[in-house]
Amino acid sequence: MRLSLFLCLAVLLTPSVAYTFAAQPVYVAVYEFPPYYSSRSSVHITGKLVEVLNKQQNDYQFILREVRPAERYGAIAAGGCCDVIFFESELWGWQESNDYHWGRGLTASAERFYVMREALAAGKVNFDLLAANRIGGVHGYNYNFVDNVTNAEVLEERFKVYTADSPMSVLHMLVGNRVDIGILNDDFVAWVRHLEFPAVDAIVGSEFVDQFFVTRVVVNAQGKLPASFINNQLQELTENGGLEAILSQFGIASLIYKGTSTEASAN
């Protein structure tokens, strides 16, 4: 009798115990920013990072949620849809706010200008932004030389910048001679070179840059994920070589951030 009662109690209690220890879902905002994330690819850096984080701990289940570039600020503000963004820079249109916390640095890179190699050698193009007829950029991205303006009409009228939906589209615009200059970051160029994408050998980048930047993790201050928790997880991944291993798969291990977790982004 006592054994039967014990078994009944065990069956009744098991679901509630399992529910208590279930990993809490947290949402990772992502937008078109290859190689960190692209809706056009099933394999990207943020996806690999999330896989590792979900295996490394049992408290939270990280889930990707795609947003438009311009929506990412609100995505991790109070009442936003998401809890965290990886590989984001403080230089990219973010305002000072108590809505979010900046965390550990992840990569250090630069945005620079690209032209066709043969056209440059022949003197048909140069890196003079004022002389260019058309400059290619990505819609919603922040560029220093246009004072971080993101409105497409203003970019075309004032700066002759024509925006596409992704860096890959900018590369195709450049190779297809639809723009004179394309704006690409070192992360993207290193990745397409790693993929042995033929077009990358046809372009050459400027020695001067539009901006140097450090990508970091940024956490919704009102979200379910404590900033200290994700910082500790990322520190562990950095120290055990896990982050470098992920970046190596995309050809950008050389861009891993070498500074301390408390340093501000480079200017």
Side-chain angles (χ1 to χ4, degrees):
M1 182 69 177
R2 291 180 180 177
L3 178 61
S4 298
L5 180 60
F6 175 80
L7 292 174
C8 289
L9 288 172
V11 171
L12 290 172
L13 290 173
T14 298
S16 62
V17 171
Y19 178 80
T20 300
F21 290 98
Q24 187 173 11
V26 294
Y27 292 93
V28 181
V30 290
Y31 58 95
E32 193 67 26
F33 183 30
Y36 298 108
Y37 174 80
S38 177
S39 60
R40 297 164 173 80
S41 175
S42 60
V43 181
H44 38 73
I45 292 174
T46 303
K48 289 289 185 182
L49 177 60
V50 162
E51 287 178 12
V52 172
L53 288 173
N54 284 337
K55 292 177 181 178
Q56 183 170 285
Q57 50 77 48
N58 299 313
D59 296 303
Y60 300 97
Q61 179 72 23
F62 291 86
I63 303 168
L64 301 183
R65 177 170 286 179
E66 187 173 10
V67 299
R68 293 188 178 93
E71 296 174 344
R72 67 191 190 275
Y73 313 106
I76 61 166
C81 66
C82 300
D83 302 285
V84 61
I85 303 178
F86 298 106
F87 305 105
E88 185 61 39
S89 172
E90 296 161 276
L91 303 178
W92 297 340
W94 292 85
Q95 305 297 319
E96 289 189 15
S97 172
N98 293 324
D99 284 342
Y100 34 78
H101 300 300
W102 289 95
R104 189 174 184 83
L106 299 170
T107 60
S109 187
E111 199 99 39
R112 65 185 76 237
F113 306 97
Y114 283 82
V115 298
M116 295 301 294
R117 188 182 300 276
E118 289 188 2
L120 179 66
K124 295 179 180 179
V125 297
N126 55 46
F127 294 110
D128 185 350
L129 300 176
L130 296 177
N133 291 318
R134 294 171 67 92
I135 301 170
V138 180
H139 185 69
Y141 280 25
N142 295 83
Y143 302 114
N144 190 51
F145 82 102
V146 296
D147 298 323
N148 288 316
V149 171
T150 57
N151 182 281
E153 293 182 1
V154 175
L155 286 172
E156 290 184 20
E157 293 175 3
R158 288 181 54 191
F159 302 102
K160 297 178 288 186
V161 174
Y162 295 79
T163 53
D165 59 352
S166 74
M168 189 64 78
S169 297
V170 173
L171 178 57
H172 286 304
M173 289 166 64
L174 183 59
V175 174
N177 295 313
R178 285 177 283 164
V179 294
D180 303 315
I181 299 174
I183 316 166
L184 300 169
N185 61 57
D186 292 348
D187 323 54
F188 173 79
V189 174
W191 172 61
V192 292
R193 182 169 287 115
H194 176 72
L195 293 177
E196 298 182 347
F197 194 71
V200 75
D201 293 327
I203 64 174
V204 60
S206 59
E207 292 185 6
F208 63 94
V209 303
D210 179 64
Q211 60 179 304
F212 290 104
F213 59 87
V214 171
T215 68
R216 299 183 178 277
V217 58
V218 54
V219 184
N220 187 335
Q222 306 300 320
K224 293 169 285 187
L225 182 69
S228 58
F229 179 88
I230 192 59
N231 269 324
N232 290 337
Q233 293 296 314
L234 291 173
Q235 181 173 347
E236 181 178 339
L237 269 179
T238 301
E239 292 176 350
N240 67 22
L243 179 60
E244 185 173 3
I246 293 172
L247 298 179
S248 294
Q249 297 177 47
F250 298 84
I252 68 165
S254 63
L255 301 180
I256 194 167
Y257 182 56
K258 303 294 186 182
T260 67
S261 61
T262 56
E263 289 179 10
S265 294
N267 292 312

